[in-house]
């Protein structure tokens, strides 16, 4: 999942460079005004169903009931066919009204209509992803991500180039149509994989639980439910998840209304406000979301893993998996946040040839770390059977973000940077509250252990950030090539961070040994240099 996510994010980052150069800030702004609306409708149509499917399939699989797992998928597909089609049609036919009344820019309607059909394909595809993830078979879901993104990016660039002569609004609409093409490709891929595996495994199906451990079925709560009972269980899990998942798209939709209007109140014209919003959501935010590709794979896999432990009565296994997930999240998130903060302008120059966007990225750098943390901790709470906890925390953090954003964005000295700061504060509140709830659910001593997981990565990331800043300045002065110096500073920063983690004991012998093929060799190598404890 992480490898596929990295490949998808690289494709996503790469296409934004030529696309931003092709359609400019204004075209990116039009595209990004349609994207939050698409995300909102997608959450409404998916409604937390993939996670519910994953959790229920994991329970059935843990108990050896393969037919029960397949029945969950069949029921979910029927649900998603209905919700996906309804959401797609509603978004398509309301495009003109939304563009005129909500966004005050009729040109956005073309992008809204172009992206609307993607809702149907992506919604149905999510059911199959949830099924494979519940069986802890991450390969098909991972591959479908790459297929979807590859087709999406190719379609976006081709259509944006071909339609640019008709105007920037048509070019943005052509780019938006890439989401529909990508969704179709990803769905057809998963359908093919499911068909092949169903034929291959057809003879191995079982009609009921193979596990006879006392009380196992009672803990899961069902063994041979009817279709309607499966629907009830799916929605009992998915509705709270959907409430939480809808918060961020709603906030992004609110952003698309608040930020341009508050920038106008600060004295910026409509076109300039749209361009600045494009810098925030179209350029800086994708870089902020890039690090969470690793924790997204972790969050996806932790839900069925915890559900499996609970189905088999393994409370100790739950605590162990939560601890490891938190440690991995801290290891990834903190250097990402520190690095984006100290190299913001250099990274924006490297990626977009726009160092001026660096001030926006710097304001969002803490959000990169907090997003990883809230994502993993939220998935932990969902897997433990407490999906309302992340919802509550998201509402609290989002309310703080919106209030702060309204104030800071309208300040002439802050403008779009104020929106970035408010996002970082909001994500930080959610992350802290999620961790507090996880500690409370796990019991005594868990809070200290969870907090301790962040200490050594924070120290190592601080050392890395200071070294990288000095190195980037020195390399630029020596080479005179800013982009090359930035790449070199990033690579050296990775090495410095890993060495610092080894020295402070943030990485131990067992962690290194688990790396496939080269792990034992690295243990011996680090031991010779006194880096391994």
């Amino acid at each position: 999942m992480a490898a596929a996510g990295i490949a998808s994010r690289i494709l996503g980052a790469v296409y934004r460079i030529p696309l931003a150069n092709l359609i400019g800030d204004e075209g990116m702004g039009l595209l990004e005004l349609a994207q939050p609306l698409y995300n909102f409708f997608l959450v409404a149509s998916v409604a937390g169903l993939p996670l519910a499917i994953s959790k229920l399939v994991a329970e059935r699989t843990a108990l050896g009931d393969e037919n029960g797992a397949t029945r969950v998928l069949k029921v979910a597909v029927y649900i998603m066919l209905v919700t996906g089609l309804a959401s797609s049609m509603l978004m398509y036919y309301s495009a003109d009204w939304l563009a005129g009344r909500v966004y005050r820019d009729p040109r956005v309607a073309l992008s809204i209509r172009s992206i609307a059909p993607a809702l149907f394909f992506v919604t149905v595809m999510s059911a199959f992803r949830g099924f494979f993830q519940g069986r802890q078979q991450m390969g098909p879901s991972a591959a479908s991500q790459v297929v979807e993104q590859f087709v999406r990016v190719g379609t976006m660039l081709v259509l944006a180039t071909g339609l640019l002569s008709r105007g920037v609004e048509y070019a943005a609409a052509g780019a938006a149509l890439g989401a529909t093409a990508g969704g179709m490709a990803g769905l057809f891929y998963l359908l093919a994989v499911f068909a092949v595996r169903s034929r291959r495994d057809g003879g191995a199906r079982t009609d009921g639980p193979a596990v006879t451990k006392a009380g196992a079925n009672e803990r899961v709560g069902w063994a041979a439910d009817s279709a309607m009972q499966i629907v009830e269980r799916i929605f009992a899990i998915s509705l709270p998840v959907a409430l939480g998942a809808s918060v961020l798209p709603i906030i992004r939709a609110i952003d698309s209304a608040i930020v341009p209007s508050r920038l106008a109140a600060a004295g910026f014209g409509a076109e300039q406000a749209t361009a600045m919003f494009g810098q925030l959501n179209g350029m800086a935010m994708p870089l902020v979301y890039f690090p969470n590709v690793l924790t997204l794979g972790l969050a996806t896999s932790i839900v069925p893993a915890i559900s499996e432990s609970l189905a088999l009565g393994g409370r100790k296994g739950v605590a162990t998996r939560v601890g490891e997930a938190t440690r991995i999240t801290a290891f990834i998130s903190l250097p990402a946040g520190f690095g984006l903060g100290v190299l913001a302008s250099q990274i924006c120059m490297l990626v977009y040839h726009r160092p001026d966007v660096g001030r926006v990225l710097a304001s969002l750098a803490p959000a990169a770390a907090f997003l990883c943390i809230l994502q993993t901790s939220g998935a932990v709470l969902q897997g433990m059977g407490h999906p309302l906890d992340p919802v509550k925390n998201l509402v609290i953090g989002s309310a703080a973000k919106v209030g702060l954003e309204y104030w800071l964005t309208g300040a002439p000295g802050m403008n779009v940077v104020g929106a970035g700061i408010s996002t970082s504060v909001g994500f930080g509140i959610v992350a802290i509250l999620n961790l507090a709830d996880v500690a409370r659910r796990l019991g005594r001593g868990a809070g200290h252990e969870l907090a301790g997981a962040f200490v050594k990565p924070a120290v190592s990331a601080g050392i890395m950030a200071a070294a990288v800043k000095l190195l980037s300045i020195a390399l630029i002065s020596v080479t005179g090539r800013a982009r090359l110096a930035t790449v070199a500073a990033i690579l050296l920063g990775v090495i410095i961070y890993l060495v610092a983690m080894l020295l402070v004991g943030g990485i131990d012998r067992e962690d290194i040994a688990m790396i496939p093929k080269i792990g034992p060799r690295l243990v011996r190598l680090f031991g010779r240099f006194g880096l391994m404890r």
Side-chain angles (χ1 to χ4, degrees):
M1 290 294 290
I6 291 172
S8 297
R9 292 297 173 89
I10 289 174
L11 283 171
V14 168
Y15 92 82
R16 285 181 178 273
I17 301 171
L19 185 64
N21 292 331
L22 182 68
I23 65 179
D25 291 354
E26 191 175 357
M28 293 296 290
L30 291 172
L31 182 61
E32 290 302 322
L33 286 172
Q35 189 67 40
L37 187 66
Y38 166 78
N39 291 338
F40 172 76
F41 276 97
L42 181 61
V43 169
S45 61
V46 172
L49 291 170
L51 186 139
I53 297 166
S54 173
K55 184 173 175 60
L56 296 180
V57 168
E59 291 174 354
R60 289 292 91 199
T61 303
L63 299 175
D65 186 6
E66 297 293 341
N67 278 349
T70 303
R71 286 171 59 235
V72 171
L73 172 64
K74 291 179 179 178
V75 171
V77 167
Y78 284 120
I79 296 171
M80 289 180 148
L81 285 170
V82 174
T83 59
L85 183 61
S87 296
S88 183
M89 293 179 65
L90 180 60
M91 184 176 178
Y92 184 90
Y93 287 109
S94 63
D96 289 326
W97 183 86
L98 290 166
R101 294 294 184 88
V102 177
Y103 297 120
R104 308 291 182 182
D105 191 339
R107 298 176 299 170
V108 183
L110 284 172
S111 294
I112 294 174
R113 280 196 290 268
S114 295
I115 204 171
L119 288 168
F120 174 77
F121 298 106
V122 174
T123 299
V124 178
M125 177 171 57
S126 297
F128 288 92
R129 284 180 174 172
F131 173 77
F132 285 118
Q133 290 162 10
R135 293 171 60 86
Q136 300 192 48
Q137 298 173 351
M138 302 299 170
S141 291
S144 71
Q145 287 184 30
V146 176
V147 170
E148 178 189 5
Q149 185 75 317
F150 187 85
V151 174
R152 174 175 172 265
V153 168
T155 304
M156 290 180 81
L157 294 176
V158 169
L159 292 181
T161 302
L163 294 173
L164 184 60
S165 60
R166 300 187 61 182
V168 68
E169 64 270 28
Y170 284 94
L177 193 60
T180 298
M184 291 176 62
L187 174 60
F188 291 153
Y189 172 82
L190 284 180
L191 286 172
V193 172
F194 180 77
V196 170
R197 296 198 178 193
S198 294
R199 286 196 298 269
R200 184 190 66 190
D201 301 334
R205 299 277 181 208
T206 59
D207 294 326
V211 174
T212 59
K213 187 175 180 179
N217 283 331
E218 286 74 10
R219 282 192 297 273
V220 173
W222 57 291
D225 288 346
S226 66
M228 185 54 64
Q229 289 172 317
I230 294 176
V231 170
E232 291 175 357
R233 282 187 55 82
I234 287 175
F235 279 109
I237 298 170
S238 65
L239 287 179
V241 175
L243 288 174
S246 66
V247 173
L248 288 180
I250 289 173
I251 294 304
R252 290 194 67 186
I254 293 173
D255 284 348
S256 64
I258 287 181
V259 173
S261 66
R262 295 302 293 160
L263 289 173
F268 297 97
E271 291 187 1
Q272 190 176 7
T274 299
M276 293 176 74
F277 184 75
Q279 291 181 9
L280 176 71
N281 267 26
M283 295 182 178
M285 282 303 294
L287 296 174
V288 170
Y289 277 99
F290 194 88
N292 90 312
V293 66
L294 296 174
T295 53
L296 178 60
L298 178 63
T300 301
S301 62
I302 197 65
V303 173
I306 291 177
S307 299
E308 179 186 63
S309 292
L310 289 174
L312 299 175
R315 299 294 300 184
K316 184 178 180 181
V318 171
T320 300
R321 287 176 171 178
V322 170
E324 289 302 312
T326 304
R327 209 163 68 90
I328 295 170
T329 301
F331 177 80
I332 295 168
S333 63
L334 296 182
F338 276 79
L340 286 174
V342 298
L343 293 179
S345 295
Q346 293 94 320
I347 290 173
C348 289
M349 177 62 188
L350 174 67
V351 177
Y352 299 119
H353 300 278
R354 293 286 303 274
D356 57 305
V357 181
R359 67 190 191 100
V360 183
L361 178 59
S363 69
L364 286 165
F370 291 134
L371 179 63
C372 295
I373 297 167
L374 73 87
Q375 185 178 62
T376 302
S377 56
V380 166
L381 290 168
Q382 291 163 354
M384 293 174 69
H386 304 288
L388 285 176
D389 287 348
V391 177
K392 170 201 65 178
N393 299 334
L394 274 170
V395 170
I396 294 171
S398 299
K401 166 190 158 54
V402 170
L404 192 61
E405 183 175 68
Y406 186 87
W407 172 47
L408 292 179
T409 307
M414 299 291 291
N415 52 72
V416 73
V417 172
I421 293 172
S422 67
T423 299
S424 294
V425 172
F427 282 1
I429 292 172
V430 179
I432 292 170
L433 292 177
N434 274 2
L435 288 174
D437 282 337
V438 171
R440 177 169 57 88
R441 298 295 184 183
L442 288 176
R444 179 180 298 180
H448 178 74
E449 293 179 7
L450 292 177
F454 292 91
V455 174
K456 292 176 181 178
V459 172
S460 301
I463 295 171
M464 176 209 72
V468 163
K469 187 65 175 179
L470 294 174
L471 282 170
S472 65
I473 295 172
L475 289 170
I476 290 173
S477 65
V478 170
T479 65
R481 302 175 65 181
R483 298 177 68 190
L484 177 62
T486 300
V487 173
I490 292 172
L491 294 176
L492 290 170
V494 173
I495 296 172
I496 292 168
Y497 176 69
L498 293 176
V499 171
M501 283 289 284
L502 287 169
L503 292 174
V504 301
I507 303 176
D508 58 29
R509 185 180 300 272
E510 288 74 19
D511 295 329
I512 301 297
M514 285 192 298
I515 300 175
K517 297 183 180 180
I518 65 172
R521 296 179 183 178
L522 289 175
V523 169
R524 292 192 295 269
L525 177 64
F526 291 152
R528 292 175 186 173
F529 289 96
L531 296 175
M532 183 62 63
R533 295 187 179 184

